[in-house]
Amino acid sequence: AVWVESRVREPIVPLNIVVRRNTALAILASLAVGMAMFGCAVFLGQYFQIGRGYSPTKAGLVMVPMMAGTLVASTIFGRLTTRTGRPKRFIVAGTFILTGGFVMMSVLDHETPLWYLMVGMFLIGAGVGGSMQNLVLVVQNSVGLREVGAASGAITFFRSLGGTMGVSVLGAVLANQVASNITDGLAKLGIRGGGAESAGENLD
């Protein structure tokens, strides 16, 4: 993709925009935000359905605090950015809020109080809302008028790419952890886990 984009006459993602300092930093941050946003939405939905026994509809409704956090933070941070003209401080604040939300989520299990989950989800949503749009704003203000469309499309693309990568990587980690924990749990119960042969012996 880099080779093609560097040779075509009208590249979809102009490399001379991507390599600029502000754009490159915003793209890296957008990758992280995309991982957080998409990964959280996918795996929290699974957690509520599998770990808490909620239906898909209830699992979606329980995640409303995350969307509320995104709505509230994007509105407030957007107004503050318009008033001050300095988005950097709000991007940093949003990143810290997002990190705090994930720190809270790192200790949850099937008995975690619902209010605790809602606070964590609200912080994650607020962190995404506070940083995501300001990253786009920084990129748009760093390029010329003729390059605004390409720069905006580039950062949106990399945010989606970060989400795709995050879901894939976190899914692999989750699958590995589940397999390991199931094997350990069966071993503690005196059940020998393994392939088809052991499964057939257990069924007999």
Side-chain angles (χ1 to χ4, degrees), residues 18-36:
V18 173
V19 297
R20 295 175 193 173
R21 180 178 179 274
N22 285 348
T23 309
L25 292 175
I27 285 174
L28 289 176
S30 293
L31 284 169
V33 171
M35 290 182 182

Side-chain angles (χ1 to χ4, degrees), residues 32-177:
V33 171
M35 290 182 182
M37 181 173 62
F38 290 103
C40 184
V42 169
F43 292 109
L44 274 179
Q46 291 188 6
Y47 163 78
F48 284 120
Q49 292 179 64
I50 300 172
R52 305 301 287 255
Y54 293 168
S55 68
T57 302
K58 289 183 178 179
L61 291 174
V62 173
M63 293 176 63
V64 166
M66 187 170 69
M67 299 299 103
T70 303
L71 175 63
V72 172
S74 60
T75 302
I76 295 176
F77 280 41
R79 288 183 175 274
L80 292 175
T81 301
T82 301
R83 184 179 302 174
T84 62
R86 296 184 176 182
K88 180 179 178 180
R89 64 184 66 176
F90 304 113
I91 294 174
V92 174
T95 304
F96 276 107
I97 294 172
L98 180 62
T99 304
F102 274 102
V103 169
M104 290 185 65
M105 290 296 180
S106 66
V107 297
L108 63 85
D109 58 21
H110 64 287
E111 296 180 341
T112 302
L114 198 57
W115 66 265
Y116 182 92
L117 289 167
M118 290 187 173
V119 172
M121 287 188 292
F122 183 86
L123 290 178
I124 292 173
V128 170
S131 56
M132 182 171 59
Q133 295 305 321
N134 280 327
L135 289 171
V136 177
L137 181 63
V138 167
V139 171
Q140 290 176 340
N141 290 334
S142 301
V143 299
L145 185 61
R146 294 172 58 89
E147 301 171 326
V148 170
S152 301
I155 195 168
T156 303
F157 165 73
F158 282 105
R159 185 170 63 219
S160 300
L161 180 63
T164 303
M165 294 169 56
V167 171
S168 300
V169 173
L170 295 176
V173 173
L174 175 64
N176 182 66
Q177 288 290 327

